[in-house]
Amino acid sequence: MTAKPRRATYRHGNLKSAALKAATRLVAAAGHEQLSLREVADAVGVAHRSLYNHFADREALLDAVATEAYTRLAAILVKSETPQDYTARYVRFALTNRALYALMTSRPHATMKHNPPLQAAVHKVIAQAMRIFCQDIESPAKRRRAVMKVYITLYGGISLYTAGVLDQPSEKALIAELSAMNAGM
């Protein structure tokens, strides 16, 4: 067994940022299910204990990665002008970033109130759905149901498509079908 080369310094520029980038790359490559703080620390070149200065535990690191991903998705969705455009942008993001999307959707909504940055990032995405799909809906309860319907349709369609269960010949066909399902909100 060969020893790892000794580092010239134990200082790391912005460890939190480097760890988030490394964790995002690792999640994209192999999913989030088996990601460990040790693996992220190795990718960054620090002792795994160093990460505990920035993340309480593995779940906190995964929440931080999900927060950044939701923020990226919201920035993409803000450019949407129609329900079809929103659906296409959302689906393309999910299919282009499958492992990252799986991480994002694995975060329990009930615990988000304990994680204000993650909650705020998710709400940025939801705000874009409300802007696009709820323009003519005045009742808060009806707006909430409309957005829930959109997300249930998107999540369900994307999940079934990626699992090979939904019989759609292409991403374009999937987008068209989901757009039709969410038309007229």
Side-chain angles (χ1 to χ4, degrees), residues 3 5 8 11 27 30 32 42 44 54 90 107-108 110 118 124 126 131 142 154 177 183:
R11 299 228 177 251
V27 166
H32 70 279
D42 286 346
V44 176
H54 303 282
Y90 188 98
R107 305 291 85 195
L118 178 58
K124 286 178 186 176
I126 291 170
R131 176 180 63 85
K142 289 180 180 178
L154 290 172
E177 190 63 34

Side-chain angles (χ1 to χ4, degrees), residues 33-85:
E33 295 84 357
Q34 301 301 317
L35 184 73
S36 70
L37 287 174
R38 278 187 197 279
E39 184 180 14
V40 174
D42 286 346
V44 176
V46 298
H48 78 280
R49 293 176 304 283
S50 300
L51 295 181
Y52 288 101
N53 293 324
H54 303 282
F55 307 101
D57 54 23
R58 174 185 178 274
E59 290 303 309
L61 174 61
L62 291 175
D63 283 349
V65 172
T67 298
E68 286 194 353
Y70 273 113
T71 300
R72 277 183 33 217
L73 177 57
I76 291 167
L77 296 174
V78 77
K79 299 172 188 170
S80 300
E81 296 179 11
T82 65
Q84 296 77 14
D85 187 30

Side-chain angles (χ1 to χ4, degrees), residues 79-168:
K79 299 172 188 170
S80 300
E81 296 179 11
T82 65
Q84 296 77 14
D85 187 30
Y86 182 98
T87 300
R89 289 174 188 272
Y90 188 98
V91 170
R92 285 187 191 114
F93 178 90
L95 295 180
T96 301
N97 303 284
R98 290 181 188 206
L100 192 56
Y101 182 72
L103 166 64
M104 293 163 65
T105 58
S106 76
R107 305 291 85 195
H109 193 271
T111 63
M112 286 185 193
K113 63 185 170 201
H114 303 295
N115 187 335
L118 178 58
Q119 186 177 42
V122 170
H123 285 184
K124 286 178 186 176
V125 172
I126 291 170
Q128 294 310 310
M130 293 189 83
R131 176 180 63 85
I132 295 294
F133 291 97
C134 301
Q135 294 174 359
D136 300 326
I137 303 173
E138 292 184 27
S139 161
K142 289 180 180 178
R143 289 170 66 90
R144 185 181 60 76
R145 278 194 288 282
V147 169
M148 254 187 358
K149 180 182 173 188
V150 167
Y151 283 115
I152 288 169
T153 304
L154 290 172
Y155 178 76
I158 291 164
S159 297
L160 292 170
Y161 180 77
T162 58
V165 175
L166 191 60
D167 186 22
Q168 291 296 317

